[in-house]
Amino acid sequence: MSADPSTVNDALRGALALQKNGDFAAAEQAYLDLLARFGSQPDAEHMLALTLHALGRSAEALPRFERAERERSGATLWSNHAAALLAVGNAREASELAKRAVRAEPNHVGAWLNLGLAAEIEGNFGEAVAALSKALQLAPGNLAIRRALARTQLITKNPDAALLTLSSVSVGRDAAIDLVRVEALIAQKRLDEAAALLEGLVANDAVRTQALNLRADVELERGQSDVALETLKAVVALDAENRHAIVKTALLRIARGNAEAGLVAMREWIDRHPEDNATAGSYLVACNYSERFDAPTLLAEHRHVQPLALPVPEWPGGYRKNTSGKLRIGWVSTAFSVGPMEIFFADVMRAFAQASSDVQHILYAIGGESTTAPPSAAWAQNARDLSRLGTADMLQAIRADGVDVLIDLVGRAAGNRVALFAARAAPVQVGWLDVFYPSGLDAMDFLISDPWLSPAGADADFSEKLIRLPHGRLAYNAPPVAEPNVESARLTRFISLNRFSKCGDSVIDAWAAILRELPKWTLLLKAQGRDDDLVRHFHDRFAARGIDPSRVTIEGGGPYAEAMAAYHRGSIALDPFPFSGCSTSCDALWMGLPVITLPRATIASRQTAAWLQLAGKPEWIARDADDYVAKAVQLANDESGRVEWRRNAREILRPTVCDSERLARELIDALRAAANR
C-alpha cells in the first residue's frame, strides 16, 4: 500500500524546518528516516542532497541529486546539482546542468551564477563575465554574484570595471568584497588606498590570510621584498597549505637568485597538488636556473610533472581530417605580437607568404598579453581567438579544424595549455620558439632545434624527435635602434641585462673573480624586479667575495628602448649560466658588445653559444668557469678588438642571425617532412 501523501508531506515539512533553521545534522537524519519509511521521494532526495552539500559533503550529495532527477526535473534541481558539482571540481558537468536550467527558466538567478562560476573554473572568462552580469542584472542585491563578477573582471585585466561593480557596496559591509576591492586597487597602483583598507581586513579572523597575502603584494609593489617575504611567512604559519603564500615565496626566492630554495618548495607543493598546472609550468621553466638539472635530469623531471588528463574523447575522437589538399599548420601562442614573438617570429611570419604558398596557416591565440594577430600575419587564412575557451573546448575546436601540424610556441610558460597537446589535438605536434626543453609528453612528436643547441648525441635527452635546422632554430628581428656608439667600446664596464633569477652563486663567483682581476672595471646589472632589498642582497653577495658594492650598479628594467640604450654604457656583456640569454644576447651583439658565455648540456644553457657560433665568434665561448673568467679578462685587455667588433657587428650579424626568410623556408620544409613522417 502506498504511503499517505499527507503523512509524507508532514515528514518533509519537518525536515525542511530543521534545514531552514541551520540544524543540518538533524535535517540529514530526518530526510534519511523519511526515505527509509516511504521509499523513493524525489523532493526528499533533492533536499537531502542540498543538506549534504551544506555540510561540506558535496561528493555524497551527487548520487542523491541523480536519484531525484530520475523522477523530477526543473531549473532549481539542476542548478543545485551544478553547485555541488562545482564544489567537487567538476566544472564541465556543472556547466551543462546550469545551461539546461537556464534554457528551462531563463531568469533563474542561481543557474546563471553557477554557469558563471563553472566558466571561470574552466578558464572561459568571457562567458563567465557574461553569465555573472546576467545574474547580477536579475539579483542586483546579491553580494556573492557581485563579488564573483568583480573577480572575473579582474582576471580579464579590467580593474576599472571591477571597482565599478563593487561601487554600490560600502567599504566594511562585506569583507570578501573588500578583498576583491583591494586587488583592483593594487592593479591600479593605488597602493596607499589598498594598504589602508587592508588594515581592517588583517584584523578580521575570517579573512586574515587573504588580507596578509594582499599586503605582501602591496609590499612587493612598493619594492619591499624582504618585508613581503616575512608577511608571506606569517601566512604559512596561519595556513600551512596556502597556495598563494607558498608559491609566491618560492618564486620570490628564485627571482632573487636563490633557485634551489625556490625549486625545492615548488616541487614539494606540486607533489601534493598535481592539478596545479600553473605552478608546475613555473617550476619546470625555473629548473633551467639550477645547475642540479643536467639534460637527463631535466627530461626526467618533465616526464614526472605531467598535466592532468582532459575529459575529452581519445584521439582521434572529434578530429575532422583535412581534405583541402594543402598542408594545414596551426600555431598556438599566448601572444602573437609582443615579447619573443615580436623579436623572433614577426619577420618569419611575413616571410611565410613567399615560403609557403601551398600551406594554410591558422593562428590560435590562447590568452595572455595579446589575442589579436599582428599585421605581419596578414597572410594567415585564419586567426582564431580561443582565449575565452576552457582547455577541453579549445582542444575540440582545434581538432575540428583538421590541422595537420600543430606548433606549440608556449611550452610551460605562463598561460600554457599543455594539456591540450598531451591529449593530442593534431596528428603531428611540434615544439618551437619558447619551447627550449623536452616536453616529457608522449603526444609531442618533434622539437625544433639546431646543431649547436643539440649537438650529436643529445637525442637521448629528449622525449621528442629532434629536428635540427641547419642555420639555427631562430632568426633575430633587429629593433630599429641607433648605430652602436664606437667610443662606448672603450668603457671599462661589464653589463648584463638578464633576469636576476639567473644570477646564482656560481655566476656571482665568476663575476666577482673577473672584477678582482680588473680593479678598474665595474659591472652594471639591469632587469625587471629590482628593489632596494634585492640591491642590498646582491651587494652583500659581492661584498662576501671581496668586491666593493660601489663597483656593482643594479637598475630596474624599464621599457625595451631604455634597455637597448643601456648597452651604450658598457663594453662587454656577461652571459649568466646555466640559463643563458637569448634575446638579451642578440640585443647585446647587435649593439656591438662581445658576449662571454659558458654553455652546458641543456638547450637553455647553449642559447648564447649558438648565436656566437652563427656569428663566427666561438672564441667567446668558455669551456668552464675558469675559462669564462679568463676570456672576460682577455677581452677587457683588448680594446682594439672591442672597437673592431663594435664597428662591424651588424654587417656580420645580418646574414648570419637575422635571415628570417631563410629560416621560414627551412622551417616550412622541416614541418612538411614532419607531416609526411
Side-chain angles (χ1 to χ4, degrees), residues 414-625:
N416 76 76
R417 303 293 185 106
V418 68
L420 74 84
F421 287 93
R424 188 168 288 281
V428 176
Q429 300 189 140
V430 182
W432 182 58
L433 208 151
D434 218 19
V435 185
F436 46 85
Y437 35 71
S439 69
L441 303 178
D442 292 338
M444 286 301 291
D445 304 299
F446 298 98
L447 179 68
I448 303 293
S449 188
D450 62 42
W452 302 282
L453 292 170
S454 303
D459 303 71
D461 297 323
F462 293 88
S463 48
E464 306 86 352
K465 292 182 175 65
L466 292 177
I467 297 175
R468 294 176 174 87
L469 300 185
H471 296 94
R473 74 185 288 264
L474 299 173
Y476 175 62
N477 179 12
V481 293
E483 290 292 322
N485 181 347
V486 174
E487 288 306 306
S488 296
R490 306 183 194 279
L491 296 174
T492 55
R493 173 181 269 177
F494 296 99
I495 187 171
S496 175
L497 269 66
N498 288 274
R499 296 188 186 112
F500 298 121
S501 50
K502 295 185 178 184
C503 302
D505 284 342
S506 295
V507 173
I508 302 298
D509 286 342
W511 290 354
I514 293 168
L515 293 176
R516 285 196 299 270
E517 290 285 325
L518 301 164
K520 294 183 180 180
W521 280 66
T522 60
L523 172 62
L524 169 62
L525 305 179
K526 184 177 176 65
Q528 302 293 342
R530 180 230 186 258
D531 63 40
D532 291 343
D533 293 338
L534 179 141
V535 170
R536 184 169 57 256
H537 174 62
F538 267 66
H539 279 164
D540 288 347
R541 296 170 74 190
F542 277 99
R545 294 162 172 82
I547 302 302
D548 189 327
S550 65
R551 297 177 64 193
V552 181
T553 301
I554 303 175
E555 297 179 353
Y560 188 48
E562 179 185 321
M564 296 300 287
Y567 285 114
H568 292 303
R569 299 157 57 197
S571 61
I572 301 173
L574 295 177
D575 190 39
F577 52 87
F579 198 157
S580 69
C582 186
S583 60
T584 50
S585 295
C586 290
D587 292 342
L589 292 169
W590 187 252
M591 295 304 291
L593 280 73
V595 183
I596 303 297
T597 190
L598 173 54
R600 304 297 175 83
T602 62
I603 287 180
S605 76
R606 304 181 68 86
Q607 295 177 116
T608 299
W611 294 121
L612 293 178
Q613 292 282 7
L614 282 164
K617 287 295 180 180
E619 64 268 26
W620 296 341
I621 303 173
R623 298 184 305 275
D624 52 36

Side-chain angles (χ1 to χ4, degrees), residues 60-349:
E60 292 179 52
L62 296 178
R64 298 290 180 177
F65 280 118
E66 291 165 5
R67 288 173 195 166
E69 287 168 0
R70 292 189 193 115
E71 302 179 48
R72 196 65 60 82
S73 62
T76 299
L77 174 56
W78 293 326
S79 179
N80 290 337
H81 189 177
L85 287 165
L86 286 173
V88 299
N90 190 341
R92 174 166 286 272
E93 286 188 43
S95 178
E96 292 304 316
L97 278 172
K99 288 176 181 176
R100 187 187 303 173
V102 165
R103 287 193 295 269
E105 191 175 323
N107 290 331
H108 195 287
V109 175
W112 282 110
L113 171 60
N114 289 325
L115 180 58
L117 295 175
E120 180 186 355
I121 291 171
E122 290 196 295
N124 302 339
F125 299 117
E127 181 181 336
V129 169
L132 293 168
S133 296
K134 176 65 175 179
L136 188 61
Q137 177 187 346
L138 295 169
N142 188 306
L143 297 185
I145 297 172
R146 196 170 289 276
R147 182 172 63 246
L149 174 58
R151 185 176 61 241
T152 55
Q153 289 166 330
L154 269 179
I155 292 171
T156 53
K157 303 185 185 302
N158 196 346
D160 293 345
L163 286 173
L164 181 62
T165 296
L166 302 179
S167 61
S168 64
V169 183
S170 59
V171 171
R173 179 181 173 189
D174 184 280
I177 279 182
D178 282 344
L179 289 171
V180 180
R181 202 188 315 263
V182 168
E183 287 189 69
L185 290 170
I186 294 172
Q188 291 186 330
K189 307 298 182 185
R190 294 160 63 181
L191 302 181
D192 290 343
E193 294 175 68
L197 186 52
L198 282 170
E199 288 302 317
L201 292 169
V202 168
N204 184 332
D205 291 343
V207 297
R208 180 171 296 143
T209 55
Q210 301 99 305
L212 285 171
N213 275 324
L214 290 173
R215 176 181 280 178
D217 290 344
V218 170
E219 290 159 350
L220 286 172
E221 289 290 337
R222 287 175 166 171
Q224 301 170 322
S225 54
D226 283 349
V227 179
L229 284 169
E230 288 301 313
T231 301
L232 294 170
K233 183 178 178 181
V235 174
V236 176
L238 292 169
D239 178 6
E241 283 295 293
N242 189 282
R243 178 193 182 276
H244 181 94
I246 291 170
V247 175
K248 191 77 168 183
T249 298
L251 291 173
L252 265 175
R253 297 199 184 285
I254 292 170
R256 289 159 60 123
N258 189 358
E260 289 305 324
L263 287 171
V264 169
M266 291 177 80
R267 175 60 188 273
E268 290 174 351
W269 172 265
I270 295 164
D271 285 345
R272 298 194 302 273
H273 302 277
E275 77 286 352
D276 190 347
N277 179 63
T279 299
S282 297
Y283 168 76
L284 289 171
V285 173
C287 286
N288 291 283
Y289 296 127
S290 169
E291 298 195 70
R292 181 162 51 92
F293 289 93
D294 58 12
T297 309
L298 191 63
L299 172 60
E301 206 67 1
H302 278 266
R303 287 196 184 280
H304 177 79
V305 182
Q306 295 279 305
L308 295 184
L310 291 175
V312 295
E314 292 286 332
W315 175 265
Y319 170 64
R320 190 185 70 188
K321 185 174 177 60
N322 172 25
T323 58
S324 68
K326 289 187 174 184
L327 181 66
R328 184 172 292 180
I329 300 177
W331 306 84
V332 176
S333 179
T334 54
F336 282 102
S337 56
V338 295
M341 302 296 293
E342 185 177 20
I343 297 170
F344 295 116
F345 195 35
D347 273 6
V348 176
M349 284 197 288

Side-chain angles (χ1 to χ4, degrees), residues 372-397:
T372 303
S376 56
W379 48 267
Q381 287 84 357
N382 199 352
R384 299 189 58 185
D385 178 7
L386 304 184
S387 61
R388 297 190 174 194
L389 296 181
T391 305
D393 290 336
M394 190 178 292
L395 171 74
Q396 300 288 42

